[in-house]
Amino acid sequence: MSIIYELKAGTPVGISYLNALHERVLFKVGYIGCVSSEFMLFDLTRNKKSLHELKMLRPGLTLELKSIVSDATLTSINFQSELLMLTTVQVPILVVSFPKDINQKRLRREPRLKVELMVKLEMESSQTGHLAMVTDLSKSGVHCEYHPTEQEIADADKGALNSLIHEPVKIEFPPDEENPEAIVIRGNIKNIRGRDKLSVGIQFDTDDIENTGQIQMLYVLLVMREHGL
């Protein structure tokens, strides 16, 4: 059975093609599914290209597609397909031929990803919000830094920051070109230290199915970005 059948609906897929000027054009789509082994369907609502620009695509154009088929093993695939149809009647959908040859590769990765991501960090009990920088991330948690409030500085001077340990928090990763919707993940403060800049370790809540799905989505998107997919 083709590895394509391991692709999950909603998985981000990168597509590229050569335009009339022989320039490579890139855009993102979401996988919908495939019909038998004949063609594949993609949702164009997540792409940042204008529909007017995409309407210039013509059947028969060769497209190059890249994605990750398995969240667990992070196996990347890339293949070529022929554009069959582009419909924009209700939901814009791209239809391409089912690939004959597929290249696949298991992505090597460290347990934690080194990143620089600006997020909104909110303490759920007090609803205090901070603009924070996430510096590394794994499937179990993140490390971030932020500038504290005057009250938090006073607590640090009194050695009272430990009262925030186990505090429920909400981390909002803002939308970007690769993900048009914000990703919100819940967790608890595991450790906190510092004064003028607080360094915080947060453990994700992995008991909640929806939260786990958001964690998995974010992790896969970051790995794809790291590998240029």
Side-chain angles (χ1 to χ4, degrees):
M1 181 181 291
S2 173
I3 194 173
I4 288 295
Y5 289 105
E6 296 184 29
L7 266 177
K8 297 178 181 178
T11 300
V13 177
I15 296 183
S16 67
Y17 66 92
L18 291 176
N19 63 16
L21 299 176
H22 293 279
E23 299 169 330
R24 185 152 297 278
V25 180
L26 307 172
F27 61 97
K28 295 280 186 178
V29 296
Y31 180 62
I32 296 176
C34 60
V35 177
S36 299
S37 295
E38 297 182 15
F39 52 86
M40 304 173 67
L41 306 175
F42 298 94
D43 179 6
L44 287 169
T45 56
R46 70 162 57 230
N47 86 86
K48 294 297 181 180
K49 299 287 183 183
S50 69
L51 285 180
H52 173 73
E53 184 176 355
L54 290 176
K55 284 179 180 178
M56 302 299 290
L57 299 177
R58 291 290 180 263
L61 182 67
T62 298
L63 304 175
E64 294 189 6
L65 299 90
K66 298 180 180 181
S67 189
I68 289 180
V69 297
S70 172
D71 294 346
T73 64
L74 293 179
T75 300
S76 69
I77 59 171
N78 65 83
F79 56 90
Q80 290 188 341
S81 290
E82 179 183 343
L83 174 62
L84 300 178
M85 181 174 63
L86 172 65
T87 173
T88 58
V89 176
Q90 293 180 333
V91 177
I93 293 177
L94 191 71
V95 184
V96 307
S97 63
F98 198 89
K100 296 179 180 179
D101 300 309
I102 304 169
N103 299 314
Q104 55 182 293
K105 178 182 178 182
R106 173 77 178 271
L107 301 180
R108 289 185 294 177
R109 64 197 187 281
E110 297 297 325
R112 302 190 72 86
L113 299 175
K114 298 299 181 182
V115 296
E116 290 187 354
L117 298 171
M118 296 302 299
V119 300
K120 179 182 178 182
L121 176 65
E122 182 178 305
M123 311 294 182
E124 292 200 358
S125 61
S126 62
Q127 294 188 333
T128 303
H130 301 278
L131 187 63
M133 171 71 78
V134 171
T135 55
D136 69 66
L137 177 145
S138 72
K139 291 184 180 180
S140 61
V142 298
H143 173 267
C144 64
E145 299 175 341
Y146 70 89
H147 294 287
T149 63
E150 291 184 3
Q151 180 60 52
E152 287 171 326
I153 291 176
D155 289 342
D157 290 339
K158 294 185 296 183
L161 280 180
N162 284 344
S163 64
L164 291 175
I165 292 178
H166 305 307
E167 172 82 10
V169 297
K170 183 169 64 175
I171 312 166
E172 181 178 317
F173 295 82
D176 57 24
E177 290 186 358
E178 297 173 346
N179 192 55
E181 296 183 1
I183 295 177
V184 178
I185 299 175
R186 299 180 186 278
N188 298 86
I189 293 178
K190 188 176 180 181
N191 54 70
I192 183 168
R193 62 183 183 276
R195 184 184 184 277
D196 297 325
K197 179 186 288 185
L198 295 184
S199 177
V200 186
I202 298 171
Q203 184 171 10
F204 292 145
D205 177 5
T206 55
D207 293 329
D208 182 272
I209 295 177
E210 182 178 351
N211 202 55
T212 302
Q214 293 287 86
I215 296 167
Q216 192 68 34
M217 180 190 302
L218 175 65
Y219 192 78
V220 170
L221 284 172
L222 292 177
V223 171
M224 289 179 69
R225 181 182 300 173
E226 183 180 51
H227 289 269
L229 297 176

